[in-house]
């Protein structure tokens, strides 16, 4: 099975993790919410799948393009 | 002189026999051409779940309307004559929802649908007819590229290439739509990126040349999907307006795209019946906008509520996602939607979004499609990365394109509209009518940062809260309405009715809905 990384679209920090490893995600589900430019920016799982790993924790800084979670179809 | 009855009978019999022989030869030759690359290759495609070129054409056109041009054409090379039915590119005309359209469908089972002398002549003819007679042109692409060895050597180059100086010229006289339905190299790729609409089937590859050739050139294994697969073109290059799973869906998407467009640039788009239930979601539309200004939402829900039911056809959904572009209908009329999408990066416009919007403005203006802009953006993304991606150039191309639009432009500010992005999204007379919801906030920069810049105050400093409150009030919609820079304030639930009425008001009556097409020669990709 191909692992797919979810990346942060923005530079900011992790405000809230909203899904846990093992959780089944439907396309468009939110995995975590980042704070950037005073906005709450969700990281979405566009294709759906199962969340297998979180690569960041709440409060951590993230860079644009950084992988923050891994899903498998 | 009288013919004897016996002679007349013999002559008739002779004519009947000749007609029979003629029909038999015609039919035999027709069947050979229709057999394409032969039963084995066709069976293999069927097993893979792929349609062949003729099945694709059948699906594209209304039943019984396809008339072929060049069925009996073959390769110009004598040794290939008997193995090149239609010379690998099937061409002709047919009707899409009752309207004439032209097609060139690559038949991969015949010499890999490679480009060569005869099929280049077919292609040239079909393009000329489509352009001169005013009908859309459809490419069903799948090609190994230039035919070998025909193109080799300077004689091959002299004979094969560059004999039509307008081959890759685009003046947007009629809409072009293309589907990439397999391996697609060379001209098949060129036509895809020159088209107004480009759909790609998953598994297809669109690239300059094959993975094999690329591997030889760089001295390492190149993966075909990485080289030109759907993910690359949907998310990175933006060359794919739409990605689908099957051939059938790809051809259906072309039919759907063409339904929004006029047949040529000198007529208005067709008008459709308004489906029942359109506008029903308007009553609750404010519920789609979060009450907090720091929360994001998917603007596509607002778009779908406003436009005619099920009429929103999004283009480049996975590219430049901070902006949403797509065709839709309002009161039955085709419109182009440009909307900021706070769901991605808070709606801050990046360079990909600038290019996506610019190419969409060119499409709409070239084919007389009025524009509706829904605005909620904190501005352009700033920082070192966008500057390296040539942000000022992208922002000004977008701005220039907007100023060259000659079809009606209507804008509605839903929430934020700041700085230069205010102009790019239709503010400052860059749309024919600018309306704003009472939730709109309009200023040069976000109040949070403005308090720091103007007053030198940060959160926690004495006086910050009062200064911030004053900035917030000054950004409210009523001030911009009072100086008539917004032509009206519209309640969210009235937005659909307002836009439909304004499309009536701004109809281009003097030219029967036809704009000036000042961007007809604008580049076809970016």
């Amino acid at each position: 099975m191909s692992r797919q990384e979810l990346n942060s679209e923005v530079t900011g920090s992790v405000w809230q993790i909203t899904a846990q490893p093992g959780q089944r995600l439907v396309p468009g589900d939110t995995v975590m919410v980042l704070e950037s430019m005073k906005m709450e920016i969700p990281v979405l799982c566009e294709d759906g799948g199962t969340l297998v790993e979180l690569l960041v924790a709440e409060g951590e800084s993230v860079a644009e393009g950084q992988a923050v979670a891994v899903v498998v179809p | 002189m009288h013919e004897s009855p016996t002679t007349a009978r013999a002559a008739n019999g002779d004519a009947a026999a000749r007609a029979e022989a003629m029909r038999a030869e015609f039919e035999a030759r027709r069947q050979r051409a229709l057999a394409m690359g032969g039963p084995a290759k066709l069976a293999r495609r069927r097993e893979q779940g792929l349609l062949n070129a003729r099945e694709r054409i059948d699906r594209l056109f209304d039943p019984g309307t396809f008339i072929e041009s060049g069925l009996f054409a073959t390769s110009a090379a004598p040794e290939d004559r008997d193995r090149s039915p239609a010379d690998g590119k099937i061409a002709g005309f047919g009707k899409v929802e009752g309207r004439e359209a032209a097609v060139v469908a690559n038949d991969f089972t015949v010499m890999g649908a490679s480009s060569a002398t005869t099929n280049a002549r077919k292609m040239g003819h079909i393009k000329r007819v489509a352009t001169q007679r005013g009908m859309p042109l459809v490419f069903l692409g799948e090609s190994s590229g230039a035919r070998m060895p025909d193109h080799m050597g300077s004689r091959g180059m002299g004979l094969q290439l560059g004999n039509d100086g307008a081959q890759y010229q685009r003046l947007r006289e009629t809409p072009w739509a293309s589907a990439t339905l397999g391996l697609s190299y060379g001209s098949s790729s060129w036509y895809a990126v020159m088209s107004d609409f480009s759909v790609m089937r998953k598994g297809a590859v669109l690239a300059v040349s094959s993975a094999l050739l690329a591997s030889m050139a760089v001295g390492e294994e190149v993966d075909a999907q990485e080289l030109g697969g759907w993910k690359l073109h949907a998310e990175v290059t933006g060359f794919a307006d739409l990605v689908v799973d099957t051939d059938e869906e790809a051809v259906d998407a072309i039919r759907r795209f063409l339904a929004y467009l006029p047949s040529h640039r000198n007529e208005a788009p067709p008008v459709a019946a308004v489906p029942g239930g359109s506008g029903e979601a308007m009553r609750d539309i404010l519920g789609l906008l979060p009450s907090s200004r720091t929360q994001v939402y998917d603007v596509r829900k607002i778009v779908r509520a406003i436009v005619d039911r099920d009429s929103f056809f999004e283009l480049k959904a996975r590219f430049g996602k901070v902006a949403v572009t797509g065709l839709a209908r309002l009161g039955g009329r085709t419109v182009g939607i440009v909307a900021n999408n706070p769901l991605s990066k808070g709606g801050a416009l990046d360079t990909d979004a600038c290019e996506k919007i610019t190419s969409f403005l060119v499409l709409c203006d070239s084919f007389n499609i009025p524009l509706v802009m829904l605005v909620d953006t904190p501005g352009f993304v700033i920082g070192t990365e966008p500057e390296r991606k040539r942000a000022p150039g992208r922002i000004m191309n977008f701005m220039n394109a907007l100023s060259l639009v000659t079809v009606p432009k209507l804008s509605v500010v839903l929430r934020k509209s700041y700085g230069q992005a205010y102009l790019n999204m239709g503010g400052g007379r860059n749309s024919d009518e600018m309306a704003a919801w009472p939730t709109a906030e309009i200023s040069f920069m976000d109040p949070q940062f403005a308090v720091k810049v103007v007053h030198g105050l940060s959160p926690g400093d004495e006086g910050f809260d009062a200064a911030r409150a004053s900035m917030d009030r000054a950004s409210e919609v009523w001030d911009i309405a009072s100086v008539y820079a917004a032509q009206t304030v519209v309640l969210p639930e009235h937005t659909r009715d307002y836009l439909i009425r304004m499309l009536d008001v701004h109809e281009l009556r003097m030219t029967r809905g036809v704009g000036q097409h000042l961007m007809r020669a604008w580049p076809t990709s970016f």
Side-chain angles (χ1 to χ4, degrees):
Chain A
M1 269 194 301
S2 62
R3 289 161 57 93
Q4 192 200 338
E5 286 178 348
L6 303 183
N7 302 309
S8 168
E9 287 187 316
V10 292
T11 299
S13 61
V14 181
W15 179 57
Q16 212 172 43
I17 304 267
T18 54
Q20 295 307 321
Q23 194 171 324
R24 191 76 205 141
L25 303 164
V26 302
D29 269 357
T30 302
V31 174
M32 65 185 72
V33 180
L34 310 175
E35 194 199 322
S36 172
M37 303 171 292
K38 306 287 171 199
M39 296 288 285
E40 298 157 29
I41 314 282
V43 175
L44 305 176
C45 178
E46 283 201 33
D47 298 320
T50 302
L51 179 63
V52 291
E53 194 181 351
L54 290 164
L55 305 174
V56 290
E58 285 180 6
E60 239 176 77
S61 294
V62 291
E64 184 180 336
Q66 183 182 331
V68 293
V70 180
V71 294
V72 293
Chain B
M1 206 175 81
H2 273 295
E3 237 175 354
S4 77
T6 325
T7 320
R9 254 198 315 277
N12 278 344
D14 189 39
R18 274 196 300 129
E20 184 55 38
M22 200 188 323
R23 274 196 292 272
E25 181 180 9
F26 176 88
E27 195 50 31
R29 286 181 180 269
R30 196 174 82 92
Q31 289 305 331
R32 273 209 299 280
L34 293 177
M36 299 181 271
K41 283 183 180 172
L42 293 173
R44 220 174 94 73
R45 291 182 74 86
R46 224 177 349 262
E47 283 160 23
Q48 293 171 319
L50 304 178
L51 298 182
N52 65 50
R54 290 190 179 277
E55 289 167 340
R56 288 169 180 166
I57 289 174
D58 284 347
R59 193 168 180 105
L60 175 67
F61 291 131
D62 301 346
T65 63
F66 178 55
I67 180 159
E68 188 160 351
S69 178
L71 175 66
F72 301 106
T74 61
S75 166
E79 65 275 21
D80 290 332
R81 267 190 76 156
D82 292 336
R83 60 178 196 116
S84 52
D87 204 23
K89 292 187 200 276
I90 301 167
F93 312 95
K95 296 191 179 186
V96 177
E97 303 287 348
R99 293 188 299 157
E100 207 69 62
V103 70
V104 176
N106 290 354
D107 178 0
F108 204 79
T109 67
V110 173
M111 306 183 81
S114 50
S115 299
T117 316
T118 304
N119 62 33
R121 290 162 64 90
K122 292 176 72 172
M123 190 111 170
H125 177 73
I126 299 295
K127 278 166 65 184
R128 263 190 309 278
V129 173
T131 300
Q132 290 171 358
R133 301 295 181 243
M135 68 181 88
L137 179 51
V138 175
F139 301 100
L140 302 177
E142 185 179 16
S143 170
S144 52
R147 187 170 298 166
M148 297 296 168
D150 306 31
H151 280 72
M152 285 309 296
S154 60
R155 180 181 154 80
M157 287 294 280
L159 285 172
Q160 301 285 341
L161 286 186
N163 297 311
D164 174 7
Q167 186 179 4
Y168 297 120
Q169 180 187 79
R170 190 76 218 281
L171 289 172
R172 298 179 169 88
E173 296 93 343
T174 76
W176 286 12
S178 95
T180 302
L181 299 170
L183 300 177
S184 182
Y185 306 124
S187 72
S188 179
S189 294
W190 309 151
Y191 285 114
V193 300
M194 287 179 78
S195 290
D196 302 295
F197 173 67
S198 168
V199 57
M200 196 166 180
R201 177 176 53 70
K202 286 184 184 173
V205 176
L206 187 163
V208 174
S209 66
S210 70
L212 176 68
L213 201 58
S215 300
M216 280 156 56
V218 300
E220 62 182 59
E221 195 73 15
V222 175
D223 175 72
Q225 281 300 311
E226 221 168 284
L227 186 72
W230 69 270
K231 253 183 138 45
L232 176 80
H233 293 308
E235 296 173 2
V236 181
T237 69
F239 289 161
D241 289 304
L242 184 70
V243 174
V244 295
D245 293 312
T246 65
D247 283 3
E248 287 88 343
E249 288 171 294
V251 175
D252 293 352
I254 286 181
R255 283 180 64 92
R256 180 158 190 215
F257 172 77
L258 292 178
Y260 292 94
L261 277 277
S263 291
H264 55 80
R265 69 179 176 198
N266 289 326
E267 67 177 19
V271 177
V274 181
S278 296
E280 263 177 8
M282 290 307 294
R283 209 183 37 194
D284 305 316
I285 195 167
L286 187 59
L288 300 173
L289 189 76
S291 51
S292 159
R293 70 188 297 278
T294 62
Q295 281 181 330
V296 302
Y297 61 96
D298 191 344
V299 79
R300 290 173 293 193
K301 290 181 184 167
I302 289 182
V303 172
R304 289 195 183 95
I306 292 174
V307 302
D308 293 358
R309 201 183 54 156
D310 299 331
S311 76
F312 183 51
F313 185 57
E314 190 177 2
L315 302 175
K316 300 194 204 299
R318 287 170 175 257
F319 176 77
K321 291 183 290 186
V322 300
V324 169
T325 55
L327 297 168
R329 292 194 185 86
L330 259 175
R333 285 201 193 89
T334 300
V335 290
I337 303 284
V338 176
N340 307 115
N341 199 0
L343 186 65
S344 179
K345 298 187 185 178
L349 287 157
D350 58 17
T351 51
D352 282 354
C354 288
E355 289 174 327
K356 167 172 160 173
I357 295 173
T358 302
S359 77
F360 186 70
L361 296 177
V362 174
L363 167 70
C364 291
D365 191 67
S366 297
F367 296 109
N368 313 315
I369 299 171
L371 282 158
V372 173
M373 306 179 90
L374 302 177
V375 187
D376 186 353
T377 177
F380 291 98
V381 174
I382 50 174
T384 52
E385 187 56 26
E387 302 297 340
R388 292 170 68 88
K389 288 183 174 166
R390 301 168 287 165
R394 301 292 161 269
I395 293 166
M396 280 301 108
N397 280 352
F398 171 6
M399 197 63 230
N400 187 17
L402 185 68
S403 75
L404 291 170
V405 165
T406 58
V407 292
K409 292 175 275 194
L410 309 175
S411 68
V412 182
V413 185
L414 311 181
R415 201 165 64 166
K416 301 177 185 183
S417 187
Y418 284 98
Q420 172 66 39
Y422 162 78
L423 299 180
N424 281 65
M425 290 303 295
R429 301 307 304 177
N430 288 293
S431 51
D432 296 304
E433 300 284 341
M434 185 176 110
W437 285 7
T439 47
E441 40 176 288
I442 301 170
S443 187
F444 190 74
M445 70 174 77
D446 192 284
Q448 182 85 20
F449 303 114
V451 173
K452 175 76 182 167
V453 173
V454 176
H455 302 291
L457 297 172
S458 301
D461 290 350
E462 193 186 331
F464 176 87
D465 290 343
R468 169 72 201 257
S470 160
M471 287 270 181
D472 284 347
R473 265 196 311 281
S475 306
E476 286 180 357
V477 71
W478 309 109
D479 281 2
I480 200 163
S482 77
V483 295
Y484 195 56
Q487 277 70 54
T488 193
V489 178
V490 65
L491 290 173
E493 61 269 32
H494 295 160
T495 307
R496 173 179 160 84
D497 294 340
Y498 166 80
L499 290 170
I500 290 173
R501 272 298 286 135
M502 275 302 165
L503 287 172
D504 289 340
V505 169
H506 283 277
E507 189 183 322
L508 301 175
R509 287 177 197 78
M510 311 277 264
T511 53
R512 296 197 176 91
V514 175
Q516 296 173 45
H517 317 131
L518 300 178
M519 294 178 281
R520 61 187 177 276
W522 196 283
T524 53
S525 76
F526 35 77

